[in-house]
Amino acid sequence: MRVCRADLSSRLLGFSPVVLDPRTRRNLAIDAISGSLYGIHAGALLPFIAVAGIRLGASNATVGVITAAPYIGYLTSIFWGQVSQSRAKLPWVVWPTIIGRLALIMVAFTRDPWVYAVIVLLYNFLIAIPGPAMTGLMEKIYPANYRGRLLAAVRVAIGVTFSVFSFLAGRALDAFGHRLLFPVAALVGVGSISLFSRVSEPPEEEGKPARTRPAAARPGLREQLAAIKSDRRFLTHLCGFMLFGAGNLLVAPLYPIFQVRELHLSYSQVAILSVTWSVAWLAAFRGWGQVADRLRPTVPLIAGVVGYALAALIYSRADSLGPLILAHILIGQSDAGLEIGWLSEVMLLAQKRTSVYFGLHYTLMGLRGATIPFLSTALLPVLGMRPMFSIGAAVIVIGLVPILLADRMNHQATSGGGAALTGADQ
């Protein structure tokens, strides 16, 4: 049995886990089991949050709030990135996540769409706090040469349970409604992060815990932002990522509105789209992890951007469930490529300032996400649903240009012996 498990692990990772040190293997096991529980939490919740709000009678503006909610929390990320820099990351990951998931239980006690939207906003604000610390934690607990494949393996565990439970959740929501299912999903999420809290975080410096390091030794936020300002490669990448994200956010609030109001899909049919997305995401993740490790992280990022643009174009022409399934296959592989490519790319560019770089990234994502969904829903009555999908696709493609330029700059610097670090140098 042990041999079978080892063989399965080798197939999943693409290498034998015996090459990892014992602490990394233990962290991977905890992360994978925690991720499986998170897949249950997310599968029963995330595909249906906006749909449940629309079924409660949410207006376009309310849908804008629900769509913007994950990004509004990012507005303070540059602060959390500074606070968690050179400190133990795990407490900053665990406690805000527990409180945020517990807050979601309150949806059981309301039928008002605006109160529902505020609860969703509070939940997303709290679970956004760990973002910069989480990326720094992944950098610490997984070695750089294997990080892409280890992250991909955990996402496989998430994807399997997400696929199964999003399908089951669609049927359960048609039968019982969200006021019962969402609180149960929240409690499963609390169990997931409680288990994750058992990972072993290496100290910031060997033999010297991060908490004992004097605060004066850390550069201030102004100095760290000045360092970012002089990093042309990162700023070019950031410009492209913001443009791409703006186009994606133009269409993101329209997807559930189109599904419910234009095609009148049931929860079970929305669940089919969710399962389609998760299977595509799952299938793409291992491949993108290998590409990021063996080639360069921008390749899956670029492929993901193209996939998002094509998905928006498909929505602009769809008149039944069938084309939407194809669109969600593209979105699934794009989400996998984006998650692996973006995470690895920013780690590569950040060098030793991971938390601050990610904090700035998340903060700008918050500014973008806190405004563009409202612009999208405001323009919807003026321009119409299908033209909005086409406009969003065009903006996504425009954002690809700076991303390609940043990739070329980074590749030239690395090939020419410039300042860019390889994964092994981090």
Side-chain angles (χ1 to χ4, degrees):
M1 182 67 70
R2 183 174 297 177
V3 173
C4 291
R5 286 200 299 268
D7 183 62
L8 179 61
S9 298
S10 297
R11 289 177 179 272
L12 182 61
L13 294 171
F15 61 89
S16 174
V18 298
V19 304
L20 303 172
D21 63 89
R23 179 163 59 186
T24 301
R25 289 201 300 271
R26 178 180 179 274
N27 285 341
L28 178 62
I30 292 172
D31 198 6
I33 298 170
S34 171
S36 298
L37 290 174
Y38 173 75
I40 298 173
H41 163 80
L45 178 69
L46 300 185
F48 310 105
I49 283 182
V51 174
I54 294 168
R55 290 182 178 275
L56 282 174
S59 64
N60 286 349
T62 310
V63 175
V65 171
I66 294 170
T67 306
Y71 301 93
I72 292 174
Y74 293 154
L75 289 171
T76 57
S77 287
I78 198 165
F79 169 75
W80 299 119
Q82 169 68 5
V83 169
S84 63
Q85 180 77 5
S86 301
R87 296 186 181 186
K89 304 292 189 291
L90 195 57
W92 296 97
V93 171
V94 171
W95 289 108
T97 305
I98 288 176
I99 297 169
R101 290 176 184 174
L102 286 174
L104 198 63
I105 295 173
M106 292 188 292
V107 299
F109 305 104
T110 183
R111 296 181 183 274
D112 184 279
W114 268 109
V115 175
Y116 174 86
V118 169
I119 295 170
V120 172
L121 182 62
L122 175 62
Y123 160 74
N124 280 282
F125 179 83
L126 289 166
I127 65 170
I129 291 173
M134 185 64 166
T135 53
L137 182 63
M138 292 298 102
E139 186 180 33
K140 291 174 71 176
I141 70 172
Y142 291 141
N145 289 341
Y146 298 102
R147 188 179 298 130
R149 282 165 286 179
L150 294 175
L151 291 172
V154 174
R155 296 323 188 266
V156 168
I158 295 173
V160 169
T161 53
F162 185 101
S163 299
V164 173
F165 281 89
S166 61
F167 177 77
L168 296 175
R171 293 178 175 271
L173 285 164
D174 280 331
F176 305 111
H178 74 277
R179 296 174 71 234
L180 172 63
L181 190 65
F182 284 5
V184 172
L187 292 175
V188 174
V190 171
S192 167
I193 193 64
S194 298
L195 176 61
F196 182 80
S197 69
R198 298 176 62 185
V199 300
S200 176
E201 178 182 0
E204 198 74 15
E205 292 179 355
E206 191 63 30
K208 185 177 182 180
R211 290 181 182 276
T212 67
R213 192 187 279 184
R218 298 195 303 270
L221 180 59
R222 181 177 299 177
E223 289 81 1
Q224 296 189 59
L225 288 179
I228 292 173
K229 188 177 179 180
S230 64
D231 189 341
R232 289 183 57 210
R233 278 171 285 167
F234 177 70
L235 291 178
T236 304
H237 159 85
L238 191 62
C239 177
F241 194 84
M242 292 301 110
L243 279 170
F244 141 70
N248 208 28
L249 282 167
L250 278 174
V251 298
L254 308 184
Y255 288 150
I257 295 173
F258 186 81
Q259 292 163 11
V260 175
R261 295 182 185 167
E262 296 288 325
L263 297 189
H264 308 289
L265 302 185
S266 65
Y267 278 120
S268 296
Q269 289 173 311
V270 174
I272 291 173
L273 298 179
S274 175
V275 171
T276 300
W277 171 87
S278 61
V279 170
W281 181 75
L282 185 62
F285 227 105
R286 179 182 173 185
W288 287 140
Q290 292 176 334
V291 168
D293 281 346
R294 295 175 181 174
L295 296 177
R296 58 186 190 272
T298 325
V299 175
L301 177 60
I302 290 168
V305 172
V306 173
Y308 287 121
L310 291 174
L313 289 176
I314 290 172
Y315 258 85
S316 73
R317 306 286 294 177
D319 55 6
S320 65
L321 181 62
L324 300 194
I325 291 175
L326 175 59
H328 283 261
I329 290 173
L330 289 169
I331 294 172
Q333 73 83 27
S334 297
D335 282 345
L338 182 70
E339 189 170 350
I340 288 289
W342 172 68
L343 187 69
S344 301
E345 177 79 355
V346 179
M347 283 182 182
L348 188 68
L349 293 169
Q351 302 182 22
K352 299 299 182 182
R353 299 183 295 270
T354 307
S355 291
V356 175
Y357 270 57
F358 273 103
L360 178 62
H361 232 302
Y362 280 123
T363 298
L364 292 177
M365 285 168 62
L367 289 171
R368 182 190 67 194
T371 55
I372 293 175
F374 298 105
L375 175 64
S376 174
T377 54
L379 290 174
L380 181 58
V382 179
L383 299 177
M385 187 86 69
R386 297 180 190 274
M388 285 291 295
F389 285 131
S390 298
I391 292 169
V395 176
I396 290 171
V397 172
I398 292 170
L400 185 60
V401 177
I403 291 174
L404 290 170
L405 288 174
D407 179 53
R408 182 180 178 184
M409 293 163 63
N410 198 40
H411 185 60
Q412 287 175 341
T414 305
S415 301
L421 293 178
T422 65
D425 294 325
Q426 291 188 46

